[in-house]
Amino acid sequence: MVNDHDKSPVALEPRELAGEKLFSPSAARNAAPIREVLSPRLPRAAKVLEIGCGTGEHAEAVCRARPDLVWMPSDPDPVSRASTTARAEEIPNLQPAVAIDASVRNWTDGLSPVDAIVCCNVIHIAPWAVAEGLAAGAARLVAPGGIVFLYGPFLLDQGNAPSNLAFDENLRTKNPHWGVRPLDTVTDLFARHKFGLQEKIDMPANNYSLVFSPEPQ
């Protein structure tokens, strides 16, 4: 379930290591805002699949607030998986991280349906094929009444923050397959897989939380 196509760094910032746990400065800033938005939107006893768990700090924040959840984190990077798995040893409802690359065809094979897919700060530092695979996989995995939750920067039709435009340019110099994705492009992608955008929530530092849900059949 892992594709070795992209050798770019898995993090854009230095991360501290304590034992096997990684600590991200950006996660320290945004874990609480994400928890406050995501936690009340997850159904009771929800099964959650996280794509791109990174250090595991987002999963830890939400799982500690919602001990009823069953949270399966995933990441293609083994060091990130080790960090999240170290956290899982202390949090009963957080499972050990598994290796998933959403750009790989049929990455959902062998996975059970879930109530939510969560993906934070991933699709702008990954090839577009990851977003395409994420949407296609969500169509196969997310149960009726479930959600897909995306967090990160997105480009709007107008009124973009200068910092997001500069960030987009910087990402493309690092890797031409990266970049801050236009919101309309992301919503159109999910619409092709029968997911509608239910909420766009303003977040700190010119980020957004997007909540998609399956359209009625």
Side-chain angles (χ1 to χ4, degrees):
M1 280 193 272
V2 176
N3 188 341
D4 202 27
H5 60 78
D6 190 351
K7 294 295 186 180
S8 299
V10 297
L12 298 177
E13 60 188 359
R15 302 186 296 183
E16 294 184 5
L17 183 64
E20 290 192 313
K21 291 183 186 177
L22 290 165
F23 293 86
S24 158
S26 61
R29 294 190 298 270
N30 62 40
I34 290 172
R35 179 194 63 213
E36 294 306 309
V37 168
L38 176 58
S39 182
R41 288 168 171 80
L42 293 172
R44 179 74 183 168
K47 296 180 180 178
V48 180
L49 171 63
E50 184 180 14
I51 300 297
C53 61
T55 64
E57 289 165 279
H58 295 135
E60 178 176 2
V62 180
C63 285
R64 289 194 184 280
R66 288 286 307 273
D68 60 296
L69 301 176
V70 177
W71 189 290
M72 185 175 79
S74 73
D75 203 288
D77 172 53
V79 178
S80 296
R81 292 198 301 271
S83 175
T84 303
T85 296
R87 289 181 158 83
E89 293 174 357
E90 304 170 357
I91 305 170
N93 58 326
L94 177 59
Q95 298 180 348
V98 299
I100 290 177
D101 180 340
S103 71
V104 175
R105 182 176 174 83
N106 297 328
W107 65 266
T108 58
D109 286 357
L111 297 179
S112 300
V114 297
D115 300 297
I117 290 179
V118 172
C119 184
C120 298
N121 281 328
V122 169
I123 65 171
H124 60 286
I125 54 171
W128 181 242
V130 170
E132 293 175 321
L134 177 64
R140 294 190 289 268
L141 289 180
V142 176
I147 65 169
V148 175
F149 178 89
L150 303 184
Y151 168 87
F154 297 91
L155 295 180
L156 310 178
D157 283 340
Q158 55 186 357
N160 288 290
S163 60
N164 278 357
L165 296 174
F167 186 39
D168 177 57
E169 183 176 354
N170 179 262
L171 288 174
R172 294 180 188 279
T173 63
K174 294 178 183 297
N175 187 319
H177 300 293
W178 292 0
V180 180
R181 310 302 180 183
L183 177 63
D184 286 348
T185 302
V186 175
T187 56
D188 288 347
L189 170 64
F190 276 86
R192 293 199 297 273
H193 292 279
K194 309 302 182 184
F195 280 80
L197 179 63
Q198 301 302 310
E199 295 183 90
K200 177 175 76 72
I201 304 159
D202 291 349
M203 301 292 285
N206 301 307
N207 290 302
Y208 300 92
S209 289
L210 308 181
V211 182
F212 295 89
S213 62
E215 296 174 353
Q217 300 297 314

